[in-house]
Amino acid sequence: MYKELGIDENIINLFEESEKELESIFNEVDKTCDINSLKVLKAFQDNKISDAHFGSTTGYGYGDIGRDTIEKVFANILGAESALVRSQFISGTHALTVCLFGLLRPNDELLSITGTPYDTLHEVIGIKENASSLKSFGIKYSEIDLVNDDFDYEKIKEYLINNKVKLIEIQRSKGYSTRKSITLDKVRKVIEEIRLVDKDVLIMIDNCYCEFVEVDTPLKYGADIIVGSLIKNLGGGIAPNGAYIAGKTNLVDLCAERLTVPGEGAEVGPTLGINKSILQGLFFAPSVVASALKTAILTSKVIEKLGYVASPKFNEKRADIVQNICFSNSEDLIKYCQGIQMGSPIDSYAIPTPWDMPGYTDQVIMAAGAFTQGSSIELSCDGPIREPFIAYQQGGLTYQYGKLGVMKAVQNLINNK
Ligand SMILES: *Cc1c(COP(=O)(O)O)cnc(C)c1O
């Protein structure tokens, strides 16, 4: 059967052997999945989800009980006072943008304490010139780099003592970088340190790719507001688009007023028939995230056996679903990504090539044979064509399809040798 997919005996053996060595690590992933599933089920029951919530509104979308209850379910699961869960967010970046524009005012200062943020935020902040950036509205920006993959605690505290910062951004997932992603332990520690010197600064977390990887959420440790995409973890591969913002009610309300209209906020926003998909996606999300994690762990193990450097290592504690593979040359990176595409259910015949994507500085190659355009909870692999030529792989709706995709990618990489 594998031969029909063009996968050789030696690849099958390599994967089977690796899988056996990962049993106990996979068990840990399943335990987290158990608890997160329990949380989801409890939130559905506590909010009395029923058929009525699958209904749809059009136009202004007043009185959409499905939408309003979905937001309560998300808030419960994320440990938030309130949540805004909307398909009017066109991406995670859009939700982050709404959050920043919603909370910051002219002359306020935004401080990133995880170094330079994700590529698509550069024009939002004004790190790269844009006439509509936060900077163009007089919002100041500064950043403090991580040191040895951890926060620069002393520098952060000193900065906060000497400057009036309105909002701190913490980006947990690594984006296109080689740093480690930020575990909840580190989030907790840095928030404790920040609160020693500044009780008021707002702490916003870019939580993309991190939901359900661990049991707790950053809100439990004192973050004020968190943001993520529904075509990543919490959408479970079913939500057709959208994103969420969750946290303190007064802050979420400010974001709602920015997303829609001052004076209307979260009261408007038609759901156009997606309520059931959002709920069903959330219901699947714990096990989809577990499948994505197992796919990442298997990839790390296999790729290391082949002599490449993987980060995180197969047995390292994970904060997100992203797996870095360091290829050191563009050709291997491109072949691997093309192999992921070949192993996909959609557009498997297409061959991705590097291109100038809007929002990104370098050329980027993106493999995504996904049901939902741009969905990266589905198996996907991408990377900017710049040194050290790293593939960023994430997703896998089921472990079995994730494994097959990675097998095909490894085969394509080896065929090229
Ligand atoms: C995916 C991601 C985003 C948002 O990306 P979109 O493609 O706009 O949804 C933001 N920050 C990080 C760290 C991400 O991984």
Side-chain angles (χ1 to χ4, degrees), residues 153-164 168 190-201:
Y153 298 98
E154 291 314 312
K155 195 163 175 189
I156 292 167
K157 281 189 283 187
E158 190 190 306
Y159 194 89
L160 290 173
I161 289 166
N162 295 316
N163 298 273
K164 184 79 204 111
I168 288 179
V190 81
I191 293 177
E192 278 170 13
E193 296 284 325
I194 289 168
R195 291 304 179 213
L196 292 177
V197 296
D198 194 332
K199 297 250 177 294
D200 302 322
V201 64

Side-chain angles (χ1 to χ4, degrees), residues 91-94 96 118 120 171 173 175 206 208-209 229 232:
S91 63
T93 303
H94 184 210
L96 288 160
Y118 193 67
T120 56
Q171 180 189 307
S173 192
D206 176 349
C208 280
Y209 285 136
S229 166
K232 294 182 178 172

Side-chain angles (χ1 to χ4, degrees), residues 90-96 117-121 169 171-176 179 206-210 227-232 242-243 320 322 357 360 366 374 376 394:
I90 55 106
S91 63
T93 303
H94 184 210
L96 288 160
Y118 193 67
D119 295 47
T120 56
L121 286 171
E169 198 216 346
Q171 180 189 307
R172 296 189 60 203
S173 192
K174 65 187 74 151
Y176 286 148
R179 70 151 164 105
D206 176 349
N207 209 32
C208 280
Y209 285 136
C210 297
V227 183
S229 166
L230 293 189
I231 59 170
K232 294 182 178 172
D320 63 13
V322 181
M357 270 188 83
Y360 294 87
M366 290 211 161
S376 47
Q394 57 275 316

Side-chain angles (χ1 to χ4, degrees), residues 209-228:
Y209 285 136
C210 297
E211 302 92 350
F212 289 155
V213 172
E214 296 176 81
V215 169
D216 288 327
T217 84
L219 295 168
K220 184 172 169 182
Y221 299 120
D224 295 292
I225 197 155
I226 63 175
V227 183

